Each structure stands twice: as C-alpha cells, then as structure tokens.
C-alpha cells in the first residue's frame, strides 16, 4: 500500500511522512483521530504513511482521549526541533511562544499547517515571508471557518473574479449565544453560562464575545481576497456582551435578527474591516445561520454572491481542515505564497448618513414618549421607516426604529435631552433588494 | 505585462494562449465578456494573454451582443480543428455532434473546458479516458451548479473525508417555478409561462422540468464523490410538471416546502441516485434556497455538513466557472484525471416502509372524508403525524398528511376504494433533527 516494494528500510523511510504536533488539546486530539480513521484514504492518495513522531504538550502525564506512545510526547520544544519532522501541525494557539517555535521549524525546512488565527493575524506577514524564503508550505485553512474550505476556494477557484466584498459569521460561540437569546428570550449572562457548561464558550470568553476571534479571521480573509489587510488596531470591532434580550426581541418583532457580522469591503480609499452586531432582515441568507454554524458570503463581479456554510469550530470540523490541508500540500510542489501586506490608514470609518440603521431606545423620563422622540427625529431630518414600541408595567419605554440619517449626534441628544439609553446597529439589506 | 520582452514574434507566440470556442450562445458570450473584463488579472496570473482564435457558430451573419472579428467566426468545425488552439471551450451543448468535435480536439492534444452536463453524463467515461490517454486537461466546473466551485472543492479539499451523501438543488429553472408557485399561489402552467417570458425557462422546458438537467449534474457529482455513478436509466427521476398549487399550499400550511432535490447516497448495496420533488421542513437549509439559486449540501464523516449556495445558471455565473477553470488548468501540470466508472444494478429503490412521507389526497366521492381516510390508514398500520384538511365550496376534499409506513399499495387502495387522487412525496428531515 505504501509503495511498490514492501521489503526494506529504504522503502519505509521514503514512504513515511514525519509529522510533529505542537499542542494536543481538542483540535490536536481530533487531528490524531482523523489521521487514524482516514489512514487508508490518506495512504492511497499520498503513497505514504503519516506518522506522528513528536507531540509537544504541557503535561505529559495527563490522561488523554487519544492514545499516543509515551515516547512521542514531550514538554520540551527542543525535542520537536531535533525530531527531523517533515511537517509541523500547530494547534497550541497563542502568539508567544508559538511564533518562536514555528519560526524555528520553518528555518529547519519544515512545512507548517496551522489553525491559529491569532498567530496569523498578528505575525502572518512575517511567517509568509519566512516560509517563502525557506521554500516551505504554510497552510492555514483551519484558521478560518473551521471545516469550510473557504481559503482554498479563494486561492484556487475565485482568482479571476474581482471580489468586492466578503462578509460572514465567523465565530460560532457568539452565534450560538445570539440564537439562544432570541429563541429562549434569555439574557446574555444566562446564555453565556449555558454555553460555558456545554463547552461552546471558554471560561474566559472575551476572545469570542468581544469579537477578537472573528477579527483575526476577517484579517486573514482580507489578505486572501484583497492581497492586503489593515493593522488590527484599525479594525472597527464591537462585541456582543452589552446586547439585551429587549433589543433582540424588538428586532425580531420588526422582522430582523441581530448577528455578529464580520465584513471586509473595498472602498475608494482602501479596505474597511468591521466586526459588529448587525441587523439583518430575516430574508438575508446570513440571518438563517443559527447555533454554532459559520458562514462566509463572497460577492464576485462575475460569479455574483456565493455562500459557504458549515460548522466553524469544534474538534472534528477543524481537524478536517488541518488534515485536508496536510494531505493537499503533500501533493503540491512548492510555489511561493503571495506576500501578505498591511496598509495603514485605509478608509475612514465615517458614518454614512445615508445608511439605514436600527436604533433601540429605552427609558422612563417624562420626555421618553414615542411622540416626542418621533417629533425630534422628524425635525432633525431623520427618516423613520419602521417603529415598534413597548411599554412595560413599570412605564419603561422600549422602542426599535429603522431609520435613515441617524448620526451619533442625534443619539447623544436622545440621551441628554430625553433621558434615553440608545444603542444603534448598522443594517444589512437583503441580497434580493 | 505579457513577458519580460516586448519586441518580437517569439515572445508573442509563447505569450499567448490560443482559445477556440465551440458555440457562441448565452454562456459563450459571457465567456468572451469575462475574458475581456478580467484580462489584466488573467494576464498577470498566467503571464500570457488569452486570445480567442476561432469560434464555431451556427450562423456567422447573426447579430451578437459581443463583438468578434468576422475572421474568427466559422460555421465549419474543420476550421477550428486546423486552428492550432491550445484550449477548447465547449459551450454549444448537446451530445451530437459535440462529442465528435471534442474527441477530435482532444486527439490533437487540446485541453478542454466544458459546461456541458449532458455530454459528460452520457459520454464522460470515454472523454475522461481519452483525455488521460492524450494527457490533456478535462475541466468541467461550469457543468454543475454554475459558479459554485463545488467540483474543485471535491477534487482538492475534501478528499480525506468519506462523503456519505450529497444532495442539492441543481436546477435553477424548476426552483424558480416552485418558488413562484408558492409565493404567488399560481399554477404550474402560469408560472412556466412567466419563466419562459423572463428567459428562465426554455421554449421546450422538458430538460429542466422533467429533471433531466438535474440528473446529469447529479451523475457528475456522484463520479467525483464516489468514483462511480449509475447508468442514467437507473436514476430515479421525477419532474415537477404535475405539481399543483393545492399541494404546495397544503405543504406550506404544514410547515414544509416542496423542492426538486437531487440526491446521491451510499448504501450497503451501492449508490442510489434520485431527482424528485421532496418535502423539506422550513428549517432545512435547502428549504431556504429560493428563486433561481442552486445549492449543494455534502455530508463528510469528519467535517460534518457543508452547504454551498450561489447562482446556478445564467450567462455570467456559468462563464465565471468556465474562465476560472481555464485559468486554473493553465497553471497546473497535467495529472491524470481519476477514471469515471458506471456500475449497473446498484441499490434497489425499494420503498423504505419506515420512512416519513408527505401524502396529498384530493377527491369528492362519498368515501372522501377525513374520518374514513384516517380510519383506513389506522387499520392499515400507517402512522399519521400531521394532517391538514380543506374543503372548498364545491365539496372537494384536499388533505395533506405526514405519514410513516405508507406504501404504494395503500395509495392504490385510496384511489380505488375512496375515489381519491393521491400523490406522495419523500420527506427530508431537518439537519437539526
């Protein structure tokens, strides 16, 4: 199965791919399970057997769901470096010391498969350059949208199209939380607790709920789509931790759904990247993506809109992307990776006064009446397309408005003069509109 | 732009890709427009300029939306054969004489890009073999699901996964018709006429509405997913021409939608291919695919379910796939195409008595009452999960039933003993179930 002869050391030494693993957590375990369950398919495609020769772990005594021979485990990176691996699979996460490890392995001529979006978003420009100089593959399909092969599609099959925009739901944890908040009318805190118990959210959920994870993935998508990205500090990033059940309910009653949308757009002045809670009409394809699913929508000038959906995280979907990447690169000759660039000072994130937005207001003061608010907005030249008003037993006004022309100044006046809490969200139109 | 020197015949002769076109209809025109609008991108990727050197047309005098020099047009295939083309783009459709033309060009060492699903489903095994023997590329992304790069994904990025099933909406015309029938409560004939006026349906709509087009595409998908397909005569194929507004309305009232679903499944006895109107709960991702959109859903054992959505037909989406294919193959060394095989006598399409189905009955006779029908089904051991009944002013009973265990024999008895028209549809469960 692994070659034309079966009788010797030589055949074996050329018939084996020596894989090293950095990290053996959820995804690492999934990678080992996948390599084992699919070993026949892999061997027949590659003409070689895949062998895990070394795995860097924090604790070599820990009980694990997958068995690896004790001699394979190490807590010392130098053991990995000395192990003569052909390919390293990096699933330990983080930037330090991960970057130094990956760098040292590339310098030894080792191919890299990584699922680490933070590493790529923070040090990707250097890693791409380093991999090119050492003529090794750098593969990272697993870093964006789990098992959805979106990066491969962009690199291979959508290179003739001009891509004007890419937007998606790139974080499964926050999508799960928003879905449950709407379906079960629960508060953010209640659902977060559920998600943590189910293993959908980390004990420290900030990377997910504050939008960092989605931002790293968006940064990578922008590199592939536009050949450049923005410095992370210039990404307009907002999380979901301050969303309330009231906002979600009124949005729903108006026929909309709030999603954490990551979006990269090409504008006249450069690219603009944003991750923020966004209102979508229920007819929008991204509004249909529920629970922990991910989706990426691309707009090509020839092909039109394409949508790719799948599980964006978890042991096996991510492991699938890692192992598919690993097998693919082993069948490809080295070709230089297109350079990654960062361009500062792209498009200003000025408010488009012509854009529609959803504005949620809440308050009790004497000026907090729908009539007064509407009168103020009319005099200010703000158009109100739809309005949904609720009063609870305590006399608290809660209202959702779909508006055109509402600016931060208007919001400030609603706060100061009407005693209202105000939260505005951008609104994505339906694809059909 | 096209090389390092610009001063000579030699540079030009190596710096040009000579493309021949078989057919210059809607898609052919889109291919020329795309090559022209994207020429800078193509040239920088390929290091070569693409030139259309010959185009086979039926009528060289006809007015066309795209300009081609009169000397490029020909009505004689021999002119194409003599033109020393590097790549042929086949967008003329049909099997005869198309197969003979493509064969002759492959034998001259010409690469082939085709959008012709009928040709591939009927003569693909021979064409793949012929292309391998002459070491030329045979590329056909455009033949399935228009601009959605589903075949490329299957060939490159999902080869480690075992794919247990592939299903989708592969025909835009029928999906458009079903969408309008539901939304506007119109009859099949009324909507077909609209679709023909809009250019969504052909004057002779049989290839679309009887499921042939979707069947050809499904055949191709099966070759890529399973490495084999069934002879076309063994595909379970049903069209949409006999669907009524009443069936669609009752389905909708029960929370379901009827779609023309193409499906390939691996069973213990082989693969099974079907194209037929199928009931989907509204929560099923494929139920959300409306109008002329296409979608393909894959179930991988590692990655889980993936869904790919986009415009499946039309001038530019299909042209996008043709030109992306053309550019991709020009950057790839020849590697043999996996052989296509047909295996006869696969899985029997026996009725699974445990499967849920949606059954629509209509009639006026004295026995056509809900009570009697339900009593008969109960005694026959058929489980009825949901029932929706309507009587119109003329006393006609119309009912929709979600059942388990209903067989063709039961349907026959409902016809003979109760004087009912009966139409049953298979039912796909929600992914979440």
């Amino acid at each position: 199965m692994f070659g034309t002869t079966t009788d010797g050391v030589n055949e074996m030494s050329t018939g084996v791919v020596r894989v090293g693993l950095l990290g053996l957590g959820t995804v690492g375990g999934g990678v080992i399970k996948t390599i084992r369950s699919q070993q026949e398919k892999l061997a027949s495609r590659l003409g070689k057997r895949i062998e895990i020769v070394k795995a860097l772990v924090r604790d070599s005594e820990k009980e694990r769901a997958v068995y690896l021979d004790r001699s394979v485990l190490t807590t010392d990176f130098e053991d990995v470096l000395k192990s003569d691996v052909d390919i390293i699979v990096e699933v330990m996460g983080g930037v330090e010391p991960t970057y130094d490890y990956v760098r040292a392995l590339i310098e030894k001529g080792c191919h890299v498969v990584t699922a680490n979006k933070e590493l790529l978003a923070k040090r990707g420009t250097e890693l791409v350059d380093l991999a090119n100089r050492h003529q090794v593959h750098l593969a990272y399909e697993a870093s964006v949208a789990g098992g959805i092969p979106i990066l491969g599609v962009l690199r291979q099959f959508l290179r003739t199209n001009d891509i004007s925009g890419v937007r998606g739901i790139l974080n499964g944890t926050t999508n799960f939380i928003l879905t449950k908040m709407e379906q079960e009318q629960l508060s953010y805190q209640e659902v977060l607790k559920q998600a943590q118990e189910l293993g959908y959210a980390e004990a420290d959920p900030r990377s997910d709920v504050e939008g960092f994870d989605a931002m790293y993935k968006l940064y990578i998508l922008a590199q592939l789509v536009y050949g450049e990205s923005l410095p992370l500090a210039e990404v307009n990033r907002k999380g979901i931790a301050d969303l309330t059940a009231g906002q979600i309910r009124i949005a729903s009653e108006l026929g909309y759904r709030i999603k954490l949308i990551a979006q990269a757009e090409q504008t006249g002045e450069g690219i603009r990247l944003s991750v923020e809670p966004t209102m979508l009409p229920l007819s929008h394809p991204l509004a249909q993506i529920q629970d922990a699913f991910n989706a990426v929508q691309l707009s090509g000038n020839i092909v039109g809109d394409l949508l790719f959906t799948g599980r964006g995280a978890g042991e096996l979907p991510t492991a699938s992307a890692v192992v598919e990447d690993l097998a693919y690169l082993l069948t490809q000759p080295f070709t230089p990776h297109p350079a990654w660039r960062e361009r500062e000072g792209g498009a200003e994130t000025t408010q488009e006064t012509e854009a529609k937005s959803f504005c949620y207001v809440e308050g009790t003061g004497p000026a907090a009446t729908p009539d007064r608010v509407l009168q103020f907005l009319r005099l200010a030249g703000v158009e109100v397309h739809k309005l949904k008003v609720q009063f609870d037993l305590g006399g608290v006004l809660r209202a959702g408005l779909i508006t055109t022309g509402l600016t931060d100044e208007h919001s400030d006046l609603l706060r100061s003069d009407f005693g209202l809490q105000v939260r505005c969200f951008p609104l994505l139109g339906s694809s059909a509109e």
Side-chain angles (χ1 to χ4, degrees), chain A:
Chain A
M1 185 184 291
F2 308 118
T4 49
T5 67
T6 53
D7 59 349
V9 174
N10 275 346
E11 190 276 335
M12 283 303 285
S13 68
T14 58
V16 170
V17 181
R18 296 171 61 84
V19 174
L21 216 53
L22 299 182
L24 192 47
T26 307
V27 176
V31 168
I32 289 172
K33 284 185 205 167
T34 301
I35 287 173
R36 286 179 182 160
S37 76
Q38 306 307 102
Q39 60 184 329
E40 229 175 286
K41 262 189 129 150
L42 286 164
S44 94
R45 177 174 180 193
L46 302 175
K48 292 180 184 183
R49 190 163 54 84
I50 291 177
E51 195 178 307
I52 309 286
V53 296
K54 203 52 87 177
L56 181 69
V57 296
R58 241 179 264 168
D59 174 4
S60 57
E61 306 295 318
K62 186 176 154 188
E63 286 278 333
R64 294 172 196 282
V66 293
Y67 172 78
L68 273 185
D69 192 274
R70 179 66 60 92
S71 68
V72 170
L73 301 181
T74 179
T75 56
D76 182 359
F77 174 67
E78 291 301 317
D79 286 341
V80 181
L81 203 57
K82 284 184 300 195
S83 301
D84 195 23
V85 298
D86 303 309
I87 300 186
I88 196 79
V89 171
E90 187 275 294
V91 285
M92 63 189 279
V95 177
E96 293 301 342
T98 318
Y99 175 78
D100 296 323
Y101 293 175
V102 172
R103 180 188 178 101
L105 286 157
I106 289 176
E107 285 171 345
K108 282 201 73 173
C110 192
H111 301 297
V112 177
V113 180
T114 177
N116 189 336
K117 48 252 165 197
E118 186 180 1
L119 176 67
L120 288 160
K122 292 184 175 168
R123 310 297 291 269
T125 52
E126 295 150 82
L127 285 174
V128 166
D129 179 56
L130 194 69
N132 281 343
R133 282 192 281 121
H134 291 273
Q135 303 200 12
V136 298
H137 289 285
L138 175 64
Y140 46 90
E141 184 64 78
S143 67
V144 179
I148 306 172
I150 185 69
L151 304 186
V153 164
L154 284 167
R155 285 197 64 185
Q156 305 285 21
F157 306 130
L158 286 175
R159 287 186 49 188
T160 303
N161 277 267
D162 298 325
I163 309 289
S164 62
V166 51
R167 69 197 71 78
I169 293 171
L170 301 179
N171 181 270
T173 304
T174 45
N175 205 49
F176 175 85
I177 292 173
L178 292 176
T179 303
K180 288 282 169 242
M181 282 178 74
E182 183 185 355
Q183 285 177 349
E184 296 171 18
Q185 309 211 357
L186 294 174
S187 74
Y188 167 77
Q189 286 300 340
E190 287 169 299
V191 178
L192 174 64
K193 198 157 157 274
Q194 274 189 20
Q196 284 168 326
E197 284 161 8
L198 286 166
Y200 281 133
E202 310 270 343
D204 177 353
R206 281 175 298 176
S207 174
D208 292 319
V209 303
E210 294 181 7
F212 289 101
D213 176 82
M215 174 180 73
Y216 299 145
K217 294 166 176 169
L218 182 67
Y219 175 100
I220 296 167
L221 278 174
Q223 289 286 3
L224 270 90
V225 169
Y226 302 116
E228 64 179 36
S229 203
L230 291 181
L232 292 173
E234 294 188 23
V235 179
N236 173 29
R237 177 187 51 77
K238 293 196 184 82
I240 66 158
D242 65 344
L243 295 191
T244 66
Q247 290 160 5
I248 287 171
R249 192 168 57 245
I250 279 200
S252 161
E253 287 170 358
L254 283 164
Y256 289 80
R257 195 166 267 162
I258 302 180
K259 293 290 189 187
L260 185 65
I261 297 293
Q263 184 161 219
E265 287 174 296
Q266 186 101 57
T267 73
E269 302 92 57
I271 59 173
R272 178 158 48 194
L273 305 187
S274 63
V275 175
E276 57 184 324
T278 301
M279 287 276 287
L280 308 175
L282 286 176
S283 59
H284 194 288
L286 291 175
Q288 311 293 339
I289 309 303
Q290 297 280 64
D291 300 314
F293 278 85
N294 275 201
V296 181
Q297 189 179 40
L298 299 169
S299 306
N301 67 329
I302 314 293
V303 75
D305 280 359
L306 295 175
L307 183 73
F308 303 81
T309 311
R311 293 205 174 270
E315 180 188 14
L316 288 180
T318 310
S320 173
V322 167
V323 179
E324 293 283 1
D325 248 4
L326 188 150
Y328 179 70
L329 76 80
L330 286 169
T331 62
Q332 298 295 308
F334 171 78
T335 48
H337 193 297
W340 278 20
R341 285 177 307 193
E342 273 182 22
R343 192 194 297 249
E344 285 181 34
E348 292 281 310
T349 55
T350 50
Q351 246 173 337
E352 295 172 42
T353 49
E354 288 313 299
K356 269 193 190 175
S357 63
F358 167 72
C359 202
Y360 176 86
V361 300
E362 183 177 326
T364 47
T369 75
D371 284 353
R372 292 203 190 181
V373 169
L374 284 176
Q375 190 188 18
F376 161 75
L377 291 174
R378 193 172 60 242
L379 292 173
V382 174
E383 204 178 337
V384 177
H385 306 281
K386 278 189 180 180
L387 171 68
K388 188 87 195 179
V389 175
Q390 294 175 336
F391 282 102
D392 70 9
L393 294 175
V396 176
L397 165 71
R398 292 190 175 83
L401 305 94
I402 308 287
T403 61
T404 302
L406 193 127
T407 64
D408 289 346
E409 289 73 45
H410 300 131
S411 298
D412 288 343
L413 285 168
L414 286 170
R415 288 186 191 99
S416 59
D417 295 8
F418 294 79
L420 292 166
Q421 297 169 39
V422 181
R423 174 75 197 258
C424 291
F425 303 86
L427 196 146
L428 265 188
S430 154
S431 291
E433 279 173 20

